[in-house]
Amino acid sequence: MGSKRYIEVAVNLPVFRTYTYLVPERLSRETTAGKRVAVPFGRRLETGYVLGEASLIDGCQIKAVEQVIDNTPLFPPSMTELFRWVADYYIHPIGETISAALPSGKLPVRDMDRPVAAGKIAAGDIPPELTTEQRAVVDDVVARLGSGFYPCLLAGVTGSGKTEIYMQIAGEVVRSGGTALVLVPEISLISQSEKRFVARFGDDVAVLHSGLTRTERWRNWMRILRGDAHVVIGTRSAVFAPLDSPGVIIVDEEHDTSYKQESGLRYNACDLAVVRAKLSGSVVMLGSATPSVQSLYNAKIKKFRKIYTLRRRINQMELPSIKVVDLRKREPRRGARALIGEELYTAMKETLEQGNQVMLFLNRRGFASLPVCASCGNTMKCSRCDITLTLHRRANAYRCHFCGFSLPATACCDNCGSSSIKQLGIGTEKVEEAVRQLFPDAVVARLDRDTTTRKGSMARILKDIEARRTDILVGTQMIAKGHDFPGITLIGVICADLSLNFPDFRAGERTFQLLAQVAGRAGRGMDPGRVVMQTYNPEHFSIVAATQQDIDSFYEREIAVRRQLRYPPFSRMVHLHISSTDFTKARERAREAGEACMALKDSEKEMFGAIEVLGPVEAPIYKLSNRYRWQILLKSSAASPLKSFVRRLLEESGARLKRGGVRLVVDVDPFFMM
Ligand code: ADP
Ligand code: ZN
Ligand code: ZN
């Protein structure tokens, strides 16, 4: 009889610790780290992930593994450390953390060995000669490869050749036998980046994003795990790609909010990219034309080792000239011209006459976002959310943009029954209609979440623009992201202010980034391009800085505000959401949660005294999908007491606060504060 063997298992249940199990002789060979096992837990069999070997703690009753589920491990053993870090930092159960990191659903049994595409894809594309600016960055970063953690920031105006830099660094890593992980924002960008990487690296590329089927995702996952693909490109969840130790991690458009997961495990993939690089001792490069305030700050305080700046566009293209139109000074006009003012109208006419293309941006979809009853003044609201409904004319329905609730467009006022509803407020659909009226001969297309629900529809819209079949494109922030269309020489911003008044400390930052990115879409071809920006706040520093593409002056103003109000990066925040379908329960439990916070603060003044407890208050959107929502914001100058505080709160009061189906959600480093 040899000595007994024990393993550490992360059970896929809402428990924060891991458990030790005995490996029976019959399963000894097949029990390895990274596989799933069935283990007795309480009175049931549960699934768990094998993290590694464990030693027996005396006096414990140890149960034995019942069954080994997988033939091969689902992640390399080196990733265990990352999972532990994530579970600890985001105060999330470790088993559920791993489960959230893996592709969803069961690993399909058959088919896994077939290559993803039929036949080999040739890596044909020849890298261009780098510009002096690009060369300097690539050389400097390549020199750091393989010698430990090196976090850096690449700030380069749109079109300055950042993607080419990513590809050359990745190429260098692959040539020396390593792997590269590249993260890009949500779906609208993935197709373009994917195309460029595949053209360069052929079938050495694996792709991970939400547009894949479950089987495709698992198949790519296993290819990465087996070492068949050395370059991984993907959206948020790809930060968990099963690479053993990536030589370089790149985050493109690092400021993009789609890196933040807003349900389940609420992680930030951009932050995790840095953490992962630190754990594996590799280079991590965050790139953007408009880096986040947090990242610029990290570069200033040398948490990031270097900030590389690209000031010139490839081919010496000029940045577009930007004309600001003050909407307050405009004469009131009706109909189509109420949306498109004199300057923008003239510029559109000129652009079309020259045979070029126009892009119009408005950060809200639908036709009318504020339907108001003409007889009693009541606004049409979602019956499940505290949100006004948006009329969608093409769909002939009112829709709630949060929960999907829908009413026919013929619906009457739910207060007085009147059928006379005024359609106030604007959306991309209304802009599209106005454009069709003003330019009846132009080919108009719209790109937003409503026109891209069907698979392939986005690709078709983009293709029509590329081939210049479309004259005018109307769209939401979907058009703001990295598309590269040389024919577009005019960008119109219908109303620059929509994101400015959100109850969120990042509203100014978002507005700046969005407008600067939109403006950067102009003049990607030989023409320098121009931008007409309509706004009610022409003096607001976010808008002024965006029109001048001046990130430094934006940063200086914004960081001063953050410092004064003690917002991140000068503090850490944890958001507690308390919600219930029962109005009274939500309110009562929020009150109890607030009291529990204060009691905990008082009980350990030394450790927790400096933590600010703001709330409980009703959430700005107090009802969402039939749930009444309350929130408590915890603020602290240091991360670690804050984390201990939340952990203690959950341990001591979690079960009590959640009784009767009340939901208590912890959001560390929150983004969406509504
Ligand atoms: P960014 O990612 O900063 O927006 P890109 O890498 O997409 O910039 O580059 C903009 C355009 O310039 C692309 O069409 C790209 O193929 C091209 N490009 C990039 N680097 C070079 C280079 N060194 N020589 C020629 N063309 C380049
Ligand atoms: Zn009414
Ligand atoms: Zn709703």
Side-chain angles (χ1 to χ4, degrees):
M1 285 285 290
S3 66
K4 289 189 168 153
R5 185 180 158 212
Y6 300 94
I7 51 166
E8 182 185 15
V9 175
V11 182
N12 192 8
L13 286 175
V15 290
F16 286 91
R17 45 166 295 209
T18 57
Y19 293 85
T20 303
Y21 285 90
L22 173 74
V23 181
E25 199 62 45
R26 71 187 160 86
L27 299 178
S28 182
R29 183 102 57 86
E30 50 186 304
T31 306
T32 53
K35 286 186 184 178
R36 285 172 303 170
V37 285
V39 290
F41 192 91
R43 293 183 176 181
R44 304 175 43 179
L45 271 189
E46 298 288 350
T47 306
Y49 302 93
V50 181
L51 297 186
E53 304 299 309
S55 49
L56 184 62
I57 306 150
D58 273 347
C60 284
Q61 266 290 327
I62 300 294
K63 293 175 182 168
V65 174
E66 182 79 22
Q67 191 201 335
V68 177
I69 298 172
D70 302 305
N71 293 325
T72 58
L74 303 183
F75 54 88
S78 58
M79 280 184 73
T80 304
E81 211 186 342
L82 176 68
F83 292 141
R84 285 191 213 276
W85 193 97
V86 171
D88 180 64
Y89 186 81
Y90 292 109
I91 314 174
H92 201 78
I94 173 110
E96 295 187 343
T97 298
I98 299 174
S99 168
L102 301 179
S104 58
K106 285 228 171 60
L107 172 70
V109 187
R110 257 173 281 283
D111 265 9
M112 292 313 294
D113 287 325
R114 266 204 357 236
V116 178
K120 264 203 178 303
I121 317 160
D125 138 290
I126 296 154
E129 195 69 38
L130 290 178
T131 64
T132 323
E133 260 190 332
Q134 286 173 315
R135 183 85 264 158
V137 180
V138 172
D139 285 351
D140 199 59
V141 174
V142 165
R144 315 281 176 163
L145 291 170
S147 27
F149 179 45
Y150 182 75
C152 61
L153 187 61
L154 176 63
V157 294
T158 43
S160 57
K162 295 186 294 298
T163 309
E164 187 56 45
I165 289 177
Y166 306 149
M167 291 199 290
Q168 300 237 355
I169 295 171
E172 208 53 56
V173 172
V174 172
R175 261 190 295 285
S176 57
T179 56
L181 173 57
V182 182
L183 301 183
V184 294
E186 266 312 329
I187 209 72
S188 69
L189 200 58
I190 183 89
S191 52
Q192 263 201 352
S193 310
E194 181 186 342
K195 245 193 262 163
R196 288 175 71 176
F197 273 83
V198 169
R200 182 72 51 88
F201 298 101
D203 60 5
D204 204 15
V205 178
V207 184
L208 291 175
H209 59 74
S210 53
L212 302 175
T213 66
R214 197 168 55 85
T215 314
E216 286 169 335
R217 213 166 331 161
W218 269 114
R219 199 178 286 159
N220 275 317
W221 184 271
M222 297 314 280
R223 277 181 68 221
I224 299 165
L225 195 54
R226 283 195 305 260
D228 292 347
H230 294 87
V231 179
V232 178
I233 179 165
T235 49
R236 180 175 63 228
S237 65
V239 76
F240 295 113
L243 293 165
D244 189 17
S245 180
V248 65
I249 304 179
I250 288 157
V251 184
D252 187 24
E253 310 280 351
E254 62 92 30
H255 66 279
D256 195 280
T257 52
S258 74
Y259 288 120
K260 173 74 165 72
Q261 164 83 25
E262 292 292 359
S263 63
L265 172 63
R266 291 167 180 249
Y267 64 96
N268 183 324
C270 185
D271 295 344
L272 283 187
V274 178
V275 170
R276 195 165 178 190
K278 190 170 187 178
L279 293 176
S280 57
S282 19
V283 169
V284 57
M285 173 178 261
L286 309 185
S288 174
T290 53
S292 67
V293 169
Q294 177 78 55
S295 291
L296 288 169
Y297 180 75
N298 285 344
K300 295 255 147 93
I301 62 167
K302 295 290 172 208
K303 207 169 154 184
F304 292 169
R305 298 275 296 282
K306 198 148 182 179
I307 173 164
Y308 301 98
T309 311
L310 303 176
R311 295 182 200 284
R312 248 163 302 151
R313 285 179 145 188
I314 300 288
N315 303 333
Q316 315 291 324
M317 284 182 296
E318 293 289 317
L319 281 168
S321 70
I322 301 183
K323 168 104 182 84
V324 176
V325 176
D326 188 346
L327 288 177
R328 295 169 308 186
K329 296 198 181 127
R330 209 179 49 189
E331 284 170 36
R333 308 226 11 196
R334 317 205 77 206
R337 293 298 292 278
L339 290 172
I340 294 166
E342 197 55 45
E343 287 92 339
L344 182 53
Y345 177 72
T346 310
M348 287 174 77
K349 241 173 78 179
E350 285 167 10
T351 307
L352 295 176
E353 278 163 13
Q354 289 157 3
N356 287 323
Q357 295 164 292
V358 178
M359 192 150 104
L360 297 180
F361 168 77
L362 180 70
N363 200 14
R364 184 178 288 154
R365 66 201 162 94
F367 184 81
S369 51
L370 191 63
V372 177
C373 170
S375 33
C376 79
N378 175 47
T379 52
M380 303 277 278
K381 280 195 170 180
C382 174
S383 65
R384 300 191 290 218
C385 308
D386 175 33
I387 299 231
T388 52
L389 294 170
T390 299
L391 177 68
H392 289 251
R393 192 159 280 176
R394 184 94 45 98
N396 208 24
Y398 290 104
R399 279 200 192 131
C400 168
H401 282 185
F402 278 84
C403 75
F405 174 81
S406 172
L407 275 181
T410 51
C412 296
C413 169
D414 61 3
N415 184 47
C416 73
S418 162
S419 62
S420 148
I421 310 290
K422 276 196 137 145
Q423 304 300 343
L424 304 181
I426 54 178
T428 45
E429 212 178 332
K430 199 181 243 176
V431 176
E432 183 191 2
E433 191 189 80
V435 169
R436 286 185 195 281
Q437 275 174 30
L438 295 174
F439 300 96
D441 298 330
V443 180
V444 182
R446 177 159 57 91
L447 184 70
D448 57 28
R449 220 167 348 129
D450 295 326
T451 61
T452 52
T453 44
R454 249 176 310 156
K455 208 176 168 168
S457 49
M458 161 130 50
R460 207 181 49 244
I461 294 169
L462 295 178
K463 207 166 188 173
D464 283 347
I465 297 166
E466 201 172 357
R468 298 199 178 210
R469 283 191 289 267
T470 302
D471 298 313
I472 304 172
L473 177 70
V474 179
T476 56
Q477 68 266 33
M478 272 187 162
I479 64 173
K481 299 189 178 177
H483 310 296
D484 197 354
F485 302 117
I488 294 177
T489 58
L490 171 68
I491 307 242
V493 176
I494 300 297
C495 181
D497 317 277
L498 292 186
S499 58
L500 212 49
N501 299 315
F502 278 20
D504 177 347
F505 73 93
R506 287 192 189 83
E509 179 177 352
R510 296 271 158 71
T511 303
F512 169 78
Q513 288 162 346
L514 200 51
L515 296 178
Q517 295 269 349
V518 170
R521 292 301 114 215
R524 305 276 285 191
M526 297 324 274
D527 253 300
R530 56 179 164 160
V531 177
V532 177
M533 196 181 288
Q534 307 186 136
T535 174
Y536 287 102
N537 295 279
E539 297 101 15
H540 192 286
F541 74 89
S542 299
I543 291 180
V544 173
T547 58
Q548 295 165 354
Q549 303 261 322
D550 184 353
I551 186 132
D552 296 329
S553 82
F554 169 75
Y555 175 79
E556 292 307 329
R557 288 288 297 268
E558 180 68 15
I559 204 80
V561 175
R562 302 266 180 103
R563 184 177 281 123
Q564 193 184 1
L565 300 176
R566 289 216 321 123
Y567 283 134
F570 300 101
S571 66
R572 295 307 194 100
M573 288 183 176
V574 171
H575 215 188
L576 302 176
H577 304 256
I578 300 116
S579 71
S580 168
T581 51
D582 181 311
F583 176 81
T584 315
K585 266 191 201 164
R587 192 185 55 197
E588 283 307 298
R589 237 36 74 66
R591 187 180 53 76
E592 287 173 36
E595 285 167 4
C597 287
M598 294 317 285
L600 185 55
K601 208 168 116 97
D602 285 341
S603 72
E604 303 223 14
K605 284 215 173 64
E606 208 149 285
M607 192 155 57
F608 299 145
I611 293 173
E612 283 178 71
V613 179
L614 306 171
V617 291
E618 275 184 357
I621 302 170
Y622 89 92
K623 189 182 170 200
L624 207 55
S625 300
N626 273 335
R627 300 189 77 86
Y628 295 91
R629 309 161 73 239
W630 286 73
Q631 57 194 32
I632 296 175
L633 183 62
L634 304 173
K635 238 168 116 181
S636 158
S637 51
S640 109
L642 188 55
K643 203 167 59 187
S644 317
F645 184 88
V646 177
R647 197 174 291 280
R648 280 275 296 279
L649 184 76
L650 292 181
E651 277 165 15
E652 289 170 13
S653 315
R656 182 168 58 88
L657 294 173
K658 287 193 250 187
R659 70 189 191 279
V662 172
R663 215 179 273 164
L664 172 64
V665 170
V666 175
D667 192 359
V668 177
D669 304 334
F671 265 35
F672 183 74
M673 315 273 278
M674 300 208 285

